[in-house]
């Protein structure tokens, strides 16, 4: 069984097999959680990312974790929110699915996600959390032995409350 857990933390500090980075399509770093991950991982991460030649929105690519406690970083550019009619939900779901697929392929048994797209990219927090949870639940139902735990890492208290409520109200 895979445990689903919400926690308020700095994702760069987590002792998990893989952390997910809310990246942009260049994969060459940025602000927000992306900047924090690159700072904590050190310059080796940027060097590894340069070799990846970018990534499309909704897809994912993997590198090592370098100076992070995590063994892997899975980079996924989320969609920019344009109001909801530009395929944002499907693209966000695809981020979570592709990241889990890569984690599974690399034998990562614990995976931590940030709240992809809900910062600079402007995705509404509640809708993003619903899509994140629905997608992860579907994936672990289809792959029940792949993971020990999936963490939803909330930097903001607001996001933690949303995830706690959605995790508890699920039957
Ligand atoms: N640990 C966990 N979550 C964090 C951390 C951290 N250390 N720092 C910020 N967050 P954002 P996006 C949360 O803006 O909306 C970058 O420049 C933050 O509170 O990082 O997908 C990229 O290069 C929010 O809940 O990512 C892209 O250009 C969540 O991480 C662009 O931003 C995501 O916010 C991607 O935008």
């Amino acid at each position: 069984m895979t445990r689903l857990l919400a926690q308020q933390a700095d994702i760069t500090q987590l002792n998990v097999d893989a952390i997910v980075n809310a990246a942009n399509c260049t994969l060459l770093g940025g602000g927000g959680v992306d900047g924090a991950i690159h700072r904590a991982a050190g310059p080796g991460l940027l060097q590894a990312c340069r070799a990846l030649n970018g990534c499309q929105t909704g897809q994912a690519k993997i590198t090592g974790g370098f100076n992070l406690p995590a063994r892997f970083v899975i980079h996924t550019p989320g969609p920019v929110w344009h109001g909801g009619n530009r395929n944002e939900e499907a693209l966000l779901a695809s981020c979570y699915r592709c990241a889990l697929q890569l984690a599974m392929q690399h034998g990562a048994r614990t995976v931590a996600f940030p709240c992809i797209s809900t910062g600079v990219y402007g995705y509404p927090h509640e809708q993003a959390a619903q899509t994140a949870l629905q997608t992860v639940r579907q994936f672990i139902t289809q792959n029940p032995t792949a993971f020990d735990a999936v963490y939803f890492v909330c930097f903001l208290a607001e996001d933690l409350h949303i995830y706690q409520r959605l995790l508890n109200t699920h039957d």
Side-chain angles (χ1 to χ4, degrees):
M1 216 188 65
T2 307
R3 285 176 305 149
L4 298 186
L5 301 159
Q7 128 177 27
Q8 193 172 11
D10 174 355
I11 203 166
T12 66
Q13 305 297 308
L14 295 188
N15 204 344
V16 291
D17 293 333
I19 64 169
V20 176
N21 181 15
N24 60 59
C25 292
T26 70
L27 299 185
L28 297 180
V33 70
D34 193 4
I37 289 171
H38 275 272
R39 274 193 302 279
L45 183 62
L46 182 58
Q47 212 177 339
C49 284
R50 283 208 184 93
L52 297 176
N53 287 312
C55 184
Q56 288 182 357
T57 302
Q59 305 294 302
K61 294 192 178 180
I62 192 166
T63 64
F66 298 90
N67 298 337
L68 294 167
R71 238 180 343 130
F72 300 109
V73 180
I74 298 170
H75 309 264
T76 182
V80 176
W81 180 258
H82 290 288
N85 293 317
R86 292 211 207 162
N87 214 25
E88 290 95 330
E89 188 180 350
L91 288 168
L92 187 64
S94 177
C95 288
Y96 282 88
R97 210 165 33 243
C98 290
L100 288 176
Q101 190 72 42
L102 269 181
M104 185 170 73
Q105 282 166 3
H106 287 78
R109 298 206 53 87
T110 49
V111 183
F113 282 95
C115 303
I116 299 169
S117 284
T118 64
V120 176
Y121 282 179
Y123 207 109
H125 294 224
E126 172 100 23
Q127 279 168 261
Q130 280 172 357
T131 295
L133 265 172
Q134 188 182 45
T135 307
V136 171
R137 280 193 171 118
Q138 191 175 47
F139 192 96
I140 63 174
T141 302
Q142 289 163 352
N143 302 278
T145 61
F147 305 112
D148 297 323
V150 175
Y151 297 88
F152 298 96
V153 181
C154 304
F155 205 57
L156 308 174
E158 175 197 349
D159 286 315
L160 180 67
H161 296 144
I162 291 171
Y163 274 95
Q164 283 176 334
R165 175 165 44 76
L166 293 177
L167 283 167
N168 289 331
T169 53
H170 186 73
D171 50 304

